[in-house]
Amino acid sequence: RKEVEQDPGPFNVPEGATVAFNCTYSNSASQSFFWYRQDCRKEPKLLMSVYSSGNEDGRFTAQLNRASQYISLLIRDSKLSDSATYLCVVNEGVRGYSTLTFGKGTMLLVSP
Amino acid sequence: DTGVSQDPRHKITKRGQNVTFRCDPISEHNRLYWYRQTLGQGPEFLTYFQNEAQLEKSRLLSDRFSAERPKGSFSTLEIQRTEQGDSAMYLCASSPKGTGRNEKLFFGSGTQLSVL
């Protein structure tokens, strides 16, 4: 079965903390990888793509290990506004269009 | 607002009734997707359109579900004889042509369906 599995959460952290989310995927043929953010009762929004070399966007760092089929997201200096559910997303993409498989998401709660 | 638009935002219906949802993608996007999301789960793929052609349907899309995109612009998702298990958020997403494996999907705000 093709799956994307994430830490169940929720993660409760104080402002300023560093928090890391982990994700594993089962389909070794997966082509591309993303983290989406979803606020309560809102639609998912792309946070960042994840590249094999690792990539950073401000306070957010994503890592991919294809050999271990593992993806991570690191958030530094957490803000209250970072509170949301973070979805790990894998694109099998073999048909020339997106076949996205979403994890269940990990909820982050940042407190003052 | 030039984002993906979905209508209605909320729908409450009685079991056995038919419902129809509409999605207006971003105007220059030729790819359109429908997803379903239940509480505590990530979105699950339902179906994909490239222009007016429906190219893939998930096994989640039972024969009570039908989706159309008649002119390659807006799309509709109809559920016939609704069941309580159909209660979920129905999300539409679009993307432009030719973005390859790093295709980025833009989601609408979704239609929350509650079947009583």
Side-chain angles (χ1 to χ4, degrees):
Chain A
R1 181 182 173 186
K2 299 174 183 177
E3 288 184 339
V4 176
E5 296 191 7
Q6 297 186 238
D7 294 329
F11 282 45
N12 288 279
V13 302
E15 273 187 291
T18 296
V19 60
F21 302 138
N22 301 315
C23 169
T24 57
Y25 60 95
S26 61
N27 185 358
S28 60
S30 298
Q31 298 288 309
S32 52
F33 310 89
F34 308 91
W35 284 99
Y36 275 72
R37 169 193 170 129
Q38 187 170 28
D39 293 295
C40 188
R41 302 182 191 279
K42 301 285 189 180
E43 72 275 20
K45 293 184 178 179
L46 179 66
L47 179 65
M48 59 195 302
S49 301
V50 188
Y51 303 114
S52 297
S53 55
N55 49 297
E56 188 173 304
D57 182 2
R59 298 181 293 107
F60 298 84
T61 300
Q63 297 277 355
L64 167 65
N65 184 322
R66 284 187 181 268
S68 302
Q69 295 179 203
Y70 170 88
I71 306 163
S72 65
L73 176 68
L74 184 76
I75 305 176
R76 292 181 301 278
D77 190 22
S78 299
K79 311 292 185 191
L80 294 176
S81 58
D82 293 333
S83 297
T85 296
Y86 290 83
L87 298 161
C88 179
V89 185
V90 172
N91 183 8
E92 294 164 18
V94 294
R95 299 178 186 82
Y97 53 85
S98 290
T99 49
L100 299 183
T101 301
F102 286 77
K104 292 184 179 180
T106 301
M107 183 181 291
L108 172 65
L109 300 170
V110 182
S111 54
Chain B
D1 187 350
T2 57
V4 177
S5 176
Q6 291 189 246
D7 183 71
R9 291 294 305 275
H10 305 276
K11 179 70 177 179
I12 300 173
T13 191
K14 293 183 179 179
R15 189 177 53 183
Q17 297 295 304
N18 299 342
V19 294
T20 299
F21 311 141
R22 177 179 170 124
C23 171
D24 287 90
I26 295 171
S27 60
E28 63 269 26
H29 288 185
N30 73 327
R31 296 181 171 190
L32 188 147
Y33 300 81
W34 284 99
Y35 283 80
R36 181 175 72 183
Q37 186 174 23
T38 54
L39 196 63
Q41 303 293 318
E44 295 175 293
F45 170 78
L46 291 179
T47 190
Y48 163 69
F49 288 87
Q50 185 163 306
N51 299 310
E52 67 278 7
Q54 188 175 20
L55 297 186
E56 186 165 349
K57 293 193 294 185
S58 163
R59 58 184 168 79
L60 294 175
L61 215 67
S62 75
D63 56 6
R64 297 185 297 106
F65 288 70
S66 61
E68 295 183 343
R69 195 182 182 196
K71 297 182 180 179
S73 56
F74 74 91
S75 175
T76 59
L77 177 68
E78 181 183 13
I79 309 174
Q80 296 182 326
R81 305 181 304 280
T82 53
E83 301 173 356
Q84 288 183 326
D86 297 331
S87 296
M89 173 77 82
Y90 290 84
L91 292 159
C92 176
S94 71
S95 73
K97 178 183 177 181
T99 49
R101 66 182 188 182
N102 286 317
E103 178 181 4
K104 294 178 175 60
L105 270 58
F106 296 83
F107 283 87
S109 299
T111 294
Q112 180 65 54
L113 173 66
S114 298
V115 181
L116 305 179

